[in-house]
Amino acid sequence: MPDLLVRSGHITALRLFDIAYAIDLRRVEEIWVRYAGTASSRSRLSATPAKAVAFGVPPVALSFDPIPLHLGTLAVTAAVTIRIYDFGVVAIALRVAAVDLTWPDYTALLNAMDAYVGDGGDGRLWDGLLARIRTLLAEALIRPNKSAIEEDYIIGTVHAFNERPAPGALQDQVDLVPLLSGEQRPLSDGARRDLLRQSYSYYADDLVVVTWDRAFIYEPRGDSDVADVLEVANAQLLEMRYYDELLDDELPRMYGLVQSTRRTVNILLPRRFADLARRLYTLVAEVTELTEKVDNALQVTEDVYLARIYTSALDLFRVRTVSAAVNRKLAIIRDTYTALYDESSSSRAGLMEFLILVLIAVEIVLALVRR
């Protein structure tokens, strides 16, 4: 059977960055009106009822002017869209149209785009776009940072082939493995099964296959909900990785401060314990607040199909694993805070007892002197 021809579709390269502790989305909307003269939009899932699946806080979607890309010998134009999440993440998407391509050519276009925008490609492309976003939205960034943590993902989407595939038979008519793996050499049967394991269909004529760093979506109705869900899962992974590394850096510093404070012997020791405990409490409160926002970034209630894809993506991307690591480190800091608070209270009580004894001794000495 000959390969199908991709009549209409696109390839989307995502790169996500953590740029601030939080972002004021209302301020972003105001800035965009001043900058572009048009209102921005709040993202929502296009084909799913709001009560079934919805963003916790809908991100703001912006559109920049298209930019040229040179994918080897092929020159294409990429649409540029940006989503701004309130928990400090920016998702930049480059979308290249795919029209009237054979399946091998479509696969080659996706692999060429992945090579160009990936880690081994032209990093100046992302650096330039990110610098532009930082400058444009500077007023809306709450405690901006220069984190080097990034996430990238690439999605191949097809809306129409030259002929409608037989129900449930698309994987028999096109080879998804080179597209999802990026490999030119044939894979083993076991590797192929592992790569195609996360495959989902809702209707007889659609298909979604999700892997660690790529996904393929065949959606004749033009819905973008699956791609949006995959972006949110990547944003959650990025934010959890950021706080995991933040706490990795904070724990040794915390141990050092605790030891140095305990070695201090003076009248201000209770206050030092209390100050350090307050610092740790502030850190725990901030991280807990942000991680709760991240956990609630997308709320899935009634749409079983999207819930399966979303849950699969969270597991595949190890979001829950990283989140559990963050919670363990937060628990260590909470326990340290409790110990410091108790030690501060104990030291303060000991100091009060010492002062009372001193006052009693002074009273006794004064009484003897008066006699």
Side-chain angles (χ1 to χ4, degrees):
M1 181 181 295
D3 283 337
L4 296 173
L5 184 72
V6 176
R7 285 295 186 201
S8 67
H10 51 79
I11 295 166
T12 304
L14 284 171
R15 184 65 66 95
L16 298 95
F17 305 87
D18 185 288
I19 65 171
Y21 169 75
I23 302 176
D24 185 340
L25 298 188
R26 290 187 180 277
R27 195 63 181 270
V28 169
E29 292 172 322
E30 295 170 359
I31 292 170
W32 187 251
V33 169
R34 294 200 310 264
Y35 173 79
T38 59
S40 59
S41 63
R42 287 294 183 108
S43 296
R44 62 176 299 274
L45 301 181
S46 59
T48 307
K51 68 176 183 177
V53 181
F55 289 103
V57 177
V60 174
L62 312 176
S63 295
F64 283 179
D65 293 333
I67 60 175
L69 299 180
H70 297 281
L71 310 180
T73 59
L74 183 63
V76 298
T77 300
V80 182
T81 57
I82 296 96
R83 275 205 184 101
I84 315 295
Y85 291 85
D86 70 324
F87 48 81
V89 169
V90 168
I92 306 175
L94 303 181
R95 176 179 292 185
V96 172
V99 180
D100 293 335
L101 296 177
T102 65
W103 184 255
D105 287 343
Y106 179 79
T107 299
L109 177 62
L110 186 143
N111 287 328
M113 189 166 179
D114 185 43
Y116 182 82
V117 303
D119 293 335
D122 187 358
R124 293 173 299 178
L125 170 68
W126 299 112
D127 292 342
L129 290 170
L130 184 60
R132 184 178 172 189
I133 293 168
R134 287 184 186 277
T135 301
L136 176 65
L137 305 181
E139 301 173 17
L141 304 183
I142 301 170
R143 287 164 47 189
N145 63 55
K146 295 289 186 179
S147 171
I149 302 177
E150 305 171 4
E151 284 296 331
D152 59 86
Y153 204 75
I154 192 159
I155 303 172
T157 303
V158 174
H159 295 307
F161 290 101
N162 59 322
E163 60 184 56
R164 188 175 292 272
L170 179 60
Q171 293 192 58
D172 298 328
Q173 295 181 254
V174 296
D175 188 1
L176 293 174
V177 171
L179 181 142
L180 293 170
S181 67
E183 296 288 346
Q184 302 302 317
R185 297 173 58 189
L187 299 186
S188 68
D189 291 342
R192 291 175 65 89
R193 285 193 300 271
D194 288 341
L195 194 67
L196 301 173
R197 181 172 295 159
Q198 307 294 341
S199 299
Y200 304 93
S201 293
Y202 188 72
Y203 298 106
D205 62 347
D206 62 17
L207 177 67
V208 173
V209 185
V210 182
T211 72
W212 164 255
D213 59 350
R214 297 184 181 193
F216 171 73
I217 301 171
Y218 173 50
E219 178 48 75
R221 282 155 293 280
D223 300 339
S224 63
D225 290 358
V226 171
D228 293 342
V229 163
L230 294 176
E231 179 185 297
V232 173
N234 272 284
Q236 290 173 298
L237 172 62
L238 172 69
E239 197 67 357
M240 288 302 178
R241 284 185 57 209
Y242 172 79
Y243 282 107
D244 188 44
E245 292 200 8
L246 175 71
L247 295 177
D248 276 342
D249 294 338
E250 189 64 31
L251 285 173
R253 189 179 301 116
M254 177 191 73
Y255 293 142
L257 288 172
V258 170
Q259 292 302 320
S260 63
T261 300
R262 282 177 173 159
R263 285 195 297 265
T264 302
V265 180
N266 59 44
I267 198 171
L268 298 178
L269 184 60
R271 175 173 292 181
R272 291 194 178 187
F273 276 132
D275 290 344
L276 182 53
R278 279 193 294 271
R279 174 179 170 179
L280 296 181
Y281 178 79
T282 301
L283 175 64
V284 169
E286 289 180 352
V287 175
T288 301
E289 178 189 9
L290 263 294
T291 52
E292 286 179 356
K293 281 188 178 182
V294 173
D295 287 337
N296 296 320
L298 194 68
Q299 300 167 353
V300 183
T301 55
E302 298 178 9
D303 193 303
V304 177
Y305 176 61
L306 274 184
R308 287 176 61 204
I309 295 175
Y310 180 51
T311 301
S312 171
L314 292 178
D315 292 337
L316 196 58
F317 300 164
R318 299 180 301 107
V319 175
R320 291 192 174 94
T321 301
V322 181
S323 178
V326 169
N327 288 332
R328 284 195 300 271
K329 291 162 189 174
L330 283 175
I332 292 172
I333 296 178
R334 288 191 190 98
D335 291 343
T336 305
Y337 157 75
T338 302
L340 286 172
Y341 183 82
D342 292 343
E343 200 156 348
S344 172
S345 299
S346 176
S347 298
R348 187 177 293 109
L351 178 62
M352 292 298 295
E353 290 176 2
F354 174 75
L355 292 177
I356 291 171
L357 291 175
V358 169
L359 289 175
I360 293 173
V362 169
E363 287 291 334
I364 292 172
V365 170
L366 290 177
L368 293 174
V369 167
R370 282 195 294 269
R371 288 186 179 183

